[in-house]
Amino acid sequence: MAPQPWIQEPATQAVLAALSRARIAARFVGGCVRDALLKRVIADIDLATPARPEAVMAALDKAGIKAVPTGIAHGTVTAVVNSPGPLRHFEITTLRRDVETDGRHAKVAFDTDWAEDAARRDFTINAIYLDPDGTLHDPVGGLEDLAAHRVRFVGEAAKRIAEDVLRVLRYYRFEARFGAGAGDAEARIACRAAVPLLPKLSAERVAGEMLRLLAMPNPLPALRMMAQDGVLAALLPEATRLDRLERLIALDPERDQLRRLAALIEVDAAGAEVIADRLRLSNAERDRLAGLASPWPLDPAGDAQNQRRALYHLRAERYRNLALLLAAEGKIDKIRLDELLGLAASWKPPRFPLAGRDVTSLGIPPGPRVGQLLGEVRRWWEEGDFAADRAACLDHLREIVEAEGRGPLPS
């Protein structure tokens, strides 16, 4: 492989130098190698080594590099380097082989055999190794699969899935990112057979993989495979609107995971909250998903004044998302969608000019009536298309209070 700028960065060179001084051999592996071959942006950097994690930590410590035992039971040490350039984390993992697995967690034994280490990895495209000098090692045919846009398990697909059932979801996500769209026959057979095992997965792991899949530029081919293979119904039975998601992506390719999830599922707000709880989404994500569930509180046929009022209550982000979902449902055409999106981008909701102290200054004691009076004035202000200024709102407030029988108020 041609020299890589991410290998020449000071942080990477510092880690390599620390290992070299301790006579520890290391090779880059996994996503950094795969993405470098595809000429994609490199994020975190993984290395593999025959040295045990204790030796790796000692070498890093001696070089003044912070070493975090992030997965010491599995042989993983994370090096954190303070140096110029992009922030990098280096996961350095001892070569290993699986001894025992329950489908979620594996007990491993450390090894010095590169081929054995490759044999336990998930996909062939993740089992390509790169020496610091640019020499590639491809023990399981990952280079050919990468060139063919083929996502293939290392060895027997069923065995790899039995080691970690999450690999079913990783398979479809990798298909969305690296595959050609049809999938690998053996992999899909193994995924279908593993459907009864999916309940073993934690909600957080399922949510993480599903949201990462929905963030892909085009997750639809992978989602269709998941539906055909029975995986989607097992994980998210409400995900019946692939057609709506397809139209949403065509209308706006922005990779908003929750908006795409809202398009994919056919539920009301209560149903969206059930899904959010099942996937252990955050409170903010739950509220946002419920706010995008049908029936949508936006009348796209309303005139300009009604649209401004809706935008005032919904706020720009939710208004925009609802307009896109309505268009994806076929309720409005592209011309009308562009009009609504243009309004959301250009119109700035005004600030209601009154506050509670304006009511109490008229002799109204603090209490529920203060809020009621403010609400009456606010509704009048909104019905007037937000045109009334503070003085006009104060005059209307005085009129309401005087009409209650308090008599003329002092000016």
Side-chain angles (χ1 to χ4, degrees):
M1 179 185 281
Q4 297 294 305
W6 53 274
I7 295 180
Q8 301 305 318
E9 287 174 2
T12 309
Q13 288 297 306
V15 170
L16 292 175
L19 298 177
S20 177
R21 281 193 293 270
R23 298 186 178 180
I24 293 176
R27 292 174 179 172
F28 300 103
V29 68
C32 61
V33 181
R34 179 198 66 222
D35 291 346
L37 288 164
L38 293 172
K39 303 187 185 309
R40 298 187 179 185
V41 175
I42 306 300
D44 292 341
I45 299 174
D46 293 348
L47 295 103
T49 176
R52 293 183 64 86
E54 297 85 356
V56 172
M57 290 193 69
L60 295 172
D61 183 65
K62 188 174 182 179
I65 296 174
K66 181 179 179 181
V68 183
T70 45
I72 200 71
H74 291 83
T76 300
V77 174
T78 298
V80 182
V81 185
N82 291 321
S83 67
L87 177 63
R88 300 286 195 197
H89 289 86
F90 301 83
E91 285 200 354
I92 307 168
T93 302
T94 302
L95 303 182
R96 53 195 178 174
R97 54 185 171 83
D98 289 335
V99 175
E100 181 183 337
T101 181
D102 62 1
R104 289 184 296 174
H105 309 288
K107 292 183 179 179
V108 301
F110 300 139
D111 209 332
T112 58
D113 189 331
W114 293 96
E116 189 74 31
D117 183 75
R120 69 169 301 281
R121 293 183 178 269
D122 51 6
F123 307 115
T124 60
I125 60 176
N126 287 341
I128 306 170
Y129 300 81
L130 174 67
D131 285 335
D133 67 2
T135 303
L136 286 165
H137 303 269
D138 181 25
V140 292
L143 287 170
E144 183 179 346
D145 287 338
L146 196 63
H149 303 283
R150 183 169 53 234
V151 181
R152 187 168 58 88
F153 282 99
V154 174
E156 298 177 23
K159 185 176 180 181
R160 295 286 82 77
I161 289 173
E163 293 164 351
D164 184 355
V165 181
L166 188 68
R167 286 174 173 171
V168 171
L169 300 190
R170 282 176 58 81
Y171 168 72
Y172 294 105
R173 178 165 62 82
F174 270 63
E175 275 289 348
R177 188 176 181 195
F178 303 106
D184 176 73
E186 182 190 352
R188 294 185 65 183
I189 290 171
C191 289
R192 286 194 290 270
V195 166
L197 303 177
L198 294 176
K200 297 174 65 174
L201 294 172
S202 71
E204 292 85 355
R205 297 181 91 192
V206 171
E209 286 296 327
M210 286 298 299
L211 292 177
R212 290 175 76 182
L213 171 58
L214 287 170
M216 293 293 162
N218 182 15
L220 287 162
L223 286 167
R224 290 194 182 99
M225 282 190 277
M226 291 176 71
Q228 294 163 4
D229 297 341
V231 172
L232 192 58
L235 295 172
L236 197 61
E238 302 88 348
T240 60
R241 295 302 306 273
L242 284 164
D243 61 320
R244 188 163 64 197
L245 176 60
E246 182 174 17
R247 290 191 291 271
L248 174 68
I249 292 173
L251 289 165
D252 184 3
E254 181 184 349
R255 306 179 202 178
D256 187 313
Q257 300 153 297
L258 286 180
R259 185 172 67 217
R260 288 182 172 187
L261 179 58
L264 179 61
I265 57 178
E266 190 67 86
V267 293
D268 58 11
E273 290 182 356
V274 169
I275 292 173
D277 289 341
R278 187 196 312 153
L279 297 178
R280 307 282 178 85
L281 300 182
S282 69
N283 290 340
E285 290 171 329
R286 180 197 62 207
D287 293 344
R288 184 165 180 247
L289 187 64
L292 298 181
S294 62
W296 297 302
L298 174 62
D299 177 12
D303 61 18
Q305 180 175 339
N306 285 329
Q307 295 305 323
R308 285 189 289 270
R309 193 169 184 181
L311 182 54
Y312 176 79
H313 285 280
L314 295 169
R315 299 305 182 192
E317 180 190 7
R318 189 179 176 202
Y319 181 95
R320 182 176 187 274
N321 287 335
L322 293 178
L324 285 165
L325 289 169
L326 283 162
E329 186 70 2
K331 300 292 187 182
I332 54 176
D333 60 24
K334 184 66 166 57
I335 294 175
R336 182 56 172 162
L337 173 63
D338 288 343
E339 291 173 352
L340 299 182
L341 295 182
L343 175 65
S346 62
W347 189 71
K348 304 302 180 185
R351 183 178 179 181
F352 182 54
L354 300 189
R357 62 180 177 273
D358 296 308
V359 181
T360 57
S361 68
L362 298 180
I364 306 298
R369 186 57 183 151
V370 172
Q372 292 169 2
L373 286 168
L374 283 175
E376 290 184 48
V377 178
R378 185 190 295 270
R379 283 189 292 275
W380 170 83
W381 177 67
E382 291 177 14
E383 290 168 359
D385 200 17
F386 313 98
D389 59 11
R390 174 174 168 78
C393 288
L394 283 171
D395 286 343
H396 189 67
L397 173 62
R398 293 165 63 90
E399 291 171 2
I400 296 173
V401 173
E402 290 174 352
E404 290 179 342
R406 294 177 177 271
L409 294 170
S411 57

